[in-house]
Amino acid sequence: MESSDRPRYVLGEELAIRKLVTFYYREMSRQFYTSGEKHDFWEFVYVDNGELEVFTDSGRHHLAQGDMIFYKPNLFHGGKALNSTAPNLIILSFECTAPCMAFFEDKSFRLHENERLLLSRIVQEGLQAFDPPINSPHLAGCPSKRDGAAFGGDQLIRNYLEILLIELIRKGAPGKDAARLSSVSVEQHGDEFVSSVIGYLQNNLARSFKFDQLCEEFAISRTRMKALFREKHGIGVMEYFNRLKIEQAKRLIREEAATVSEIAERLGYSSLHYFSKQFKRIMDMTPSDYARSITARAERIRGKPHDSVDNGR
């Protein structure tokens, strides 16, 4: 049989996303409030940290860390920070006319690890693909492609997003239980170990560790500890710990829970100078500059009566 005569299987397509409207990673203040709006495209909001109350035409929803909510086209929605937390939000809106999108109407989800991983990959690609990046306080409205962006970034965002939606639909289909392996794979064991270390670090943010102390605490070799963290997070465990401290510092600044000096002391820094140096190295701004940027953003949001959770403009 000639190769040109061989039959071809045409791959099906349940949904397709070709256009983004907005894509933000927002660090809100504890005073965050938006009176709401509605628009003719789909949107989801994921709470990466803190708590959020959302109000829509269909009722009120309390979202905690790990929760995601979808807004169908033309659904009025708004929201505010809850319980004096300063929420971090992933906000992504897009066009999609596939009939299966009806599944997401009036739906919220608690994401599992594989779904959070897909969302993390979408965010990582968004940070590299657009200018300004999606976590910039200067980003408003539709994203613009960055000059010199990595090859295939747009396509990966689209593919990961479509896969995430498909996974959520599959999870919600009646009578469909995902097949589970009877034994724990080496990869799963490595993930569980890294999660255990991260949990330990999160519970000890006020302490100072040396790398050898952590290896001894978890009875693991230096080489294995380095390999596991770099494989999963792309950085070493001590740098990861530094970033956890800075994320906590940012949250305390946004919640206005302490002065900069008090925050440095709470997080176990030897001096205010060293804390400020580490903060600027990771955030490219000082703690004081970060606090001013949060205040300015909150004032901009409050200054526009119909600003939405989805735009922060």
Side-chain angles (χ1 to χ4, degrees), residues 26-43:
R26 288 292 197 236
E27 297 174 337
M28 303 301 188
S29 72
R30 65 175 181 168
Q31 288 87 22
F32 170 66
Y33 172 82
T34 172
S35 57
E37 71 169 21
K38 60 182 179 179
H39 41 61
D40 62 353
F41 43 82
W42 282 93
E43 177 177 275

Side-chain angles (χ1 to χ4, degrees), residues 17 42 51 66 88 91 99 101 184 215 220 232 245 271 286 296:
I17 297 172
W42 282 93
E51 297 179 60
N88 290 1
I91 305 162
M101 289 297 296
V184 178
C215 294
I220 189 172
K232 188 165 180 63
K245 284 176 176 277
S271 69
T286 67

Side-chain angles (χ1 to χ4, degrees), residues 5-32:
D5 296 328
R6 290 180 180 273
R8 268 70 167 174
Y9 176 76
V10 179
L11 295 170
E13 186 175 74
E14 302 293 346
L15 60 86
I17 297 172
R18 297 294 181 268
K19 294 181 180 179
L20 297 184
V21 184
T22 59
F23 187 2
Y24 303 116
Y25 187 97
R26 288 292 197 236
E27 297 174 337
M28 303 301 188
S29 72
R30 65 175 181 168
Q31 288 87 22
F32 170 66

Side-chain angles (χ1 to χ4, degrees), residues 113-114 179-196 224 228 231-232:
E113 184 174 357
N114 63 316
R180 297 185 180 275
L181 297 176
S182 59
S183 61
V184 178
S185 69
V186 173
E187 180 180 358
Q188 287 173 322
H189 179 71
D191 289 346
E192 290 170 2
F193 174 81
V194 170
S195 296
S196 296
R224 182 63 174 156
L228 285 172
E231 180 181 347
K232 188 165 180 63

Side-chain angles (χ1 to χ4, degrees), residues 244-297:
L244 282 178
K245 284 176 176 277
I246 298 304
E247 284 302 313
Q248 176 73 347
K250 288 161 59 181
R251 184 182 67 79
L252 292 171
I253 289 171
R254 296 198 309 277
E255 293 177 359
E256 301 173 9
T259 67
V260 173
S261 296
E262 290 169 341
I263 291 170
E265 185 176 351
R266 285 190 195 183
L267 294 176
Y269 285 96
S270 57
S271 69
L272 176 60
H273 173 74
Y274 183 63
F275 166 63
S276 298
K277 182 178 178 180
Q278 290 296 309
F279 194 102
K280 186 170 184 179
R281 178 181 68 82
I282 291 172
M283 292 301 302
D284 200 29
M285 65 175 73
T286 67
S288 299
D289 289 340
Y290 179 76
R292 283 192 288 269
S293 74
I294 294 298
T295 301
R297 183 186 304 160

